[in-house]
Amino acid sequence: MLTFRGVTKVYPNGTVALDDVSFSIAKGEFAFVIGSSGSGKSTLIRLLMKEEDLTGGRIGVNGKDIGLLDRRETPYYRRQLGVVFQDFRLLNDRTAYENVAFAMHIAGAAPRQIRRQVPMALSLVGLAKKSHCHPAELSGGEQQRIAIARAIANNPLILLADEPTGNLDPENSWDIMGIMSELNGMGTTLLIATHEKSIVDRLSKRVISLEAGRVAHDVEKGRYV
């Protein structure tokens, strides 16, 4: 499903964000990527999203080398991904429904598909009754639920999350991780970059630990190291 082979990323200022990183994620797997600030977690996510280009190595997603994708192919590749960010990235002038619908529209979904999928996605994250609300009318946890609904509305093969609970209190953090676990149980492949030790330890999923841009540990049913 997802493979990193000798992946290196060096920024123009000389900073080595990732250095010879290799691992594979199987279809339907749930894995955490952990590490201190500057360890390379966010760079890894950005490379998968094709927001950054590789310096060296290869990233394969569903059998395709994404480093070989040209500009025209990239939007189609991104439709396979759902992405959740720490800062939600919602459109404040649109309702919960409109935020999810707009993301689907940008991805090329037909109006009929949007009308069917948006209520289903909002229902899955427990916001069916608040589809008419704007982000400012919702709590931080509810805003992150909209972000998850937006990420899953197109039925992505892989869900990427970059510190999805970083701006939430513990109760809301566990609610969000409960949704993530439910999605994984439905067959979605999850890769979550986080620094939340309690969540990593309690869920006991695969843990890939980065230190200074290199894989320091890769453990099935691991703990925060």
Side-chain angles (χ1 to χ4, degrees):
M1 171 60 74
L2 189 161
T3 59
F4 275 60
R5 290 289 178 265
V7 171
T8 298
K9 174 62 181 179
V10 182
Y11 287 102
N13 64 1
T15 298
V16 180
L18 294 175
D19 183 10
D20 195 26
V21 169
S22 296
F23 63 84
S24 296
I25 303 291
K27 182 178 180 180
E29 192 170 2
F30 186 145
F32 287 112
V33 178
I34 66 170
S36 59
S37 178
S39 62
K41 302 189 305 297
S42 294
T43 296
L44 188 149
I45 298 292
R46 288 196 294 271
L47 287 172
L48 280 168
M49 293 170 59
K50 289 285 291 179
E51 286 189 348
E52 300 280 359
D53 292 325
L54 292 167
T55 304
R58 177 184 182 275
I59 298 176
V61 176
N62 205 24
K64 286 193 173 184
D65 184 344
I66 68 171
L68 300 179
L69 298 177
D70 62 29
R71 189 171 298 178
R72 292 172 299 174
E73 295 173 302
T74 297
Y76 296 98
Y77 158 70
R78 287 175 175 160
R79 293 179 189 177
Q80 301 178 70
L81 308 177
V83 187
V84 180
F85 301 97
Q86 178 178 349
D87 55 359
F88 316 145
R89 300 193 184 183
L90 300 175
L91 301 172
N92 292 320
D93 61 341
R94 298 179 188 240
T95 65
Y97 182 100
E98 290 167 342
N99 265 276
V100 180
F102 181 72
M104 292 190 69
H105 172 72
I106 291 298
R112 182 178 180 181
Q113 184 182 8
I114 292 172
R115 290 193 297 269
R116 181 178 68 249
Q117 290 292 110
V118 174
M120 290 174 60
L122 289 171
S123 179
L124 185 60
V125 300
L127 284 181
K129 295 183 178 179
K130 295 193 174 183
S131 63
H132 62 284
C133 294
H134 287 79
E137 301 173 285
L138 301 172
S139 68
E142 289 170 331
Q143 290 183 53
Q144 190 62 296
R145 287 168 183 255
I146 299 174
I148 294 173
R150 178 183 60 193
I152 64 174
N154 283 310
N155 296 316
L157 296 174
I158 303 170
L159 183 62
L160 307 174
D162 190 3
E163 303 286 3
T165 60
N167 286 334
L168 304 178
D169 59 51
E171 182 177 354
N172 277 308
S173 294
W174 281 112
D175 287 344
I176 294 303
M177 294 314 303
I179 294 171
M180 296 287 193
S181 295
E182 184 177 351
L183 292 169
N184 180 242
M186 296 166 64
T188 304
T189 303
L190 263 65
L191 185 63
I192 301 178
T194 186
H195 64 274
E196 297 282 358
K197 181 180 185 300
S198 60
I199 288 174
V200 173
D201 288 352
R202 182 168 167 181
L203 290 183
S204 190
K205 301 293 185 180
R206 181 178 174 187
V207 177
I208 301 168
S209 177
L210 297 180
E211 291 182 11
R214 298 180 68 90
V215 175
H217 305 277
D218 186 350
V219 183
E220 298 291 336
K221 296 185 177 180
R223 297 174 64 83
Y224 199 103
V225 179

